[in-house]
Amino acid sequence: MPTLDPYRAADDRYATMTYRRTGRSGLDLPALSLGLWHNFGDETPFGTQRDILRRAVDLGITHLDLANNYGPRPGAAEENFGRHLAADLRPYRDELVISTKAGYDMWSGPYQDGGSRKYLLSSLDASLRRMGLEYVDVFYHHRPDPSTPIEETMGALAQAVRSGKALYVGVSNYSPSQTREAHAVLADMGVRLLIHQPSYSMFNRHVENVGEGQGESLLDAVGDLGVGTIVFSPLAQGLLTDRYLGGVAPAGSRIAGASPSLSERALSETYLTRARALNDIAASRGQSLAQLALSWVLRDERITSALVGASSVAQLEDNVAALSAPPLTADELAAIDEYAVDGTGR
């Protein structure tokens, strides 16, 4: 392990961060949380990761979000985070909310994904070993598994709480009806469904949409149930930043790197027209496009927190600056709606 300078968290780290209550629970989360989906695997220098994590804590970001398969190399983000925890963050463990997930491919064989009790509890144990933790604050089922009875999946989450290996549990990528069912099954077991983690941005509005014959929206469901909501990809994986406004993918971007979740097809004329118009609205508020996108998702009180990734300290600081902007006005929201169209960039 590299020799690190001793770290002491900033004394004023809680002075400016905004905290929001997670649904009808007793847990507060920062309005912006740090996701370790990208930039904490084997391809990112350890020193860069250290600088981002230290600055996040100094800015009052108490919530750090991982999953068993984050990398690249599945498990690498948790392993690297464990090294950072041991070197820097162990004295602050009780001030941090650390989450992880299981549901997607992780290892070989028949028990390497899905929603079985075997997979979920084995994955949680492996995550704890990688991070050097006795427990996580939140353990998520990462995606629905229709091939497994929901009673088994929720039973595994409940067992994680009863065993003391997780303080709370959540779900990710569940539909409104699946969320209601998960909530009900857990409640019968005496365990609260704390939080839901869906994708949400100005270009991906499925959580608020009620399509024909689809029933209620996800935001209506979580609001009614008192479940918190933490959204991932609020910047649409970079499409809601100034990175692609020129119509080309710069070196080092996700599109240039052939990301499996983003391709050059996203840089259509439709996308560029909408993104540039939104950028103009942001500029009129003295914000960057990314800051506007964060202000927009956080406008709804049912959103507890937005997960941001960061490849540098400067990028993280730019995102956090969104929290100091004035609330969006009714006129600004109406102007945004013209260009914040679900499905843009797909």
Side-chain angles (χ1 to χ4, degrees):
M1 177 182 293
T3 301
L4 303 179
D5 297 330
Y7 171 65
R8 176 179 172 178
D11 292 337
D12 63 348
R13 59 191 177 276
Y14 301 123
T16 58
M17 176 54 64
T18 300
Y19 297 91
R20 296 184 172 199
R21 186 55 54 97
T22 309
R24 290 196 289 270
S25 76
L27 181 68
D28 288 337
L29 292 180
L32 292 184
S33 300
L34 182 64
L36 279 65
W37 180 16
H38 299 283
N39 305 311
F40 286 85
D42 291 337
E43 296 179 350
T44 303
F46 190 81
T48 300
Q49 300 175 26
R50 174 200 62 204
D51 293 344
I52 294 168
L53 280 170
R54 286 183 172 186
R55 186 60 179 143
V57 173
D58 285 347
L59 289 169
I61 295 177
T62 54
H63 178 34
L64 308 172
D65 181 74
L66 299 102
N68 60 356
N69 63 341
Y70 287 175
R73 185 177 54 85
E78 289 183 331
E79 288 178 5
N80 286 328
F81 175 74
R83 296 166 66 194
H84 293 294
L85 181 72
D88 281 344
L89 302 180
R90 182 71 67 183
Y92 307 101
R93 172 64 184 98
D94 290 340
E95 300 178 42
L96 298 174
V97 175
I98 300 169
S99 62
T100 196
K101 314 176 199 71
Y104 286 99
D105 297 358
M106 188 57 199
W107 50 77
S108 59
Y111 317 117
Q112 55 95 29
D113 69 352
S116 72
R117 179 182 179 88
K118 167 68 174 174
Y119 165 65
L120 291 174
L121 295 180
S122 295
S123 180
L124 176 56
D125 284 343
S127 290
L128 294 175
R129 287 194 298 270
R130 282 191 289 268
M131 292 187 284
L133 290 171
E134 294 181 356
Y135 69 93
V136 290
D137 296 275
V138 187
F139 181 50
Y140 289 90
H141 188 218
H142 209 162
R143 60 169 175 170
D145 177 12
S147 70
T148 300
I150 197 166
E151 291 80 8
E152 178 175 347
T153 299
M154 294 304 113
L157 296 187
Q159 177 60 27
V161 173
R162 295 192 189 106
S163 68
K165 295 178 181 180
L167 301 186
Y168 302 94
V169 293
V171 295
S172 181
N173 300 306
Y174 274 49
S175 70
S177 61
Q178 290 167 333
T179 301
R180 283 193 174 277
E181 188 174 10
H183 179 275
V185 172
L186 282 170
D188 285 345
M189 298 176 181
V191 174
R192 168 183 289 276
L193 176 61
L194 176 78
I195 196 164
H196 191 299
Q197 187 175 134
S199 60
Y200 184 40
S201 74
M202 289 194 286
F203 288 165
N204 181 2
R205 302 181 64 168
H206 75 284
V207 301
E208 65 186 49
N209 289 340
V210 180
E212 184 177 352
Q214 293 181 359
E216 68 180 340
S217 73
L218 180 62
L219 286 180
D220 285 340
V222 295
D224 180 55
L225 295 170
V227 172
T229 310
I230 181 167
V231 299
F232 69 89
S233 295
L235 306 183
Q237 300 192 64
L239 293 177
L240 287 166
T241 71
D242 60 8
R243 173 164 277 197
Y244 302 113
L245 295 180
V248 296
S253 66
R254 291 191 191 175
I255 290 178
S259 167
S261 55
L262 201 60
S263 73
E264 285 194 51
R265 293 192 304 274
L267 304 186
S268 65
E269 284 303 315
T270 299
Y271 157 72
L272 291 170
T273 297
R274 292 171 180 169
R276 288 166 180 166
L278 291 168
N279 188 59
D280 288 342
I281 296 171
S284 73
R285 287 172 47 84
Q287 288 186 294
S288 66
L289 177 55
Q291 289 168 346
L292 177 69
L294 294 171
S295 294
W296 185 86
V297 296
L298 291 170
R299 79 199 186 284
D300 192 311
E301 64 182 10
R302 294 168 294 186
I303 304 299
T304 311
S305 183
L307 278 167
V308 296
S311 59
S312 68
V313 168
Q315 186 180 56
L316 178 67
E317 291 174 339
D318 182 74
N319 288 338
V320 172
L323 300 178
S324 62
L328 290 159
T329 68
D331 286 345
E332 287 170 335
L333 288 170
I336 288 169
D337 261 348
E338 181 178 352
Y339 305 104
V341 180
D342 185 59
T344 301
R346 291 180 191 164

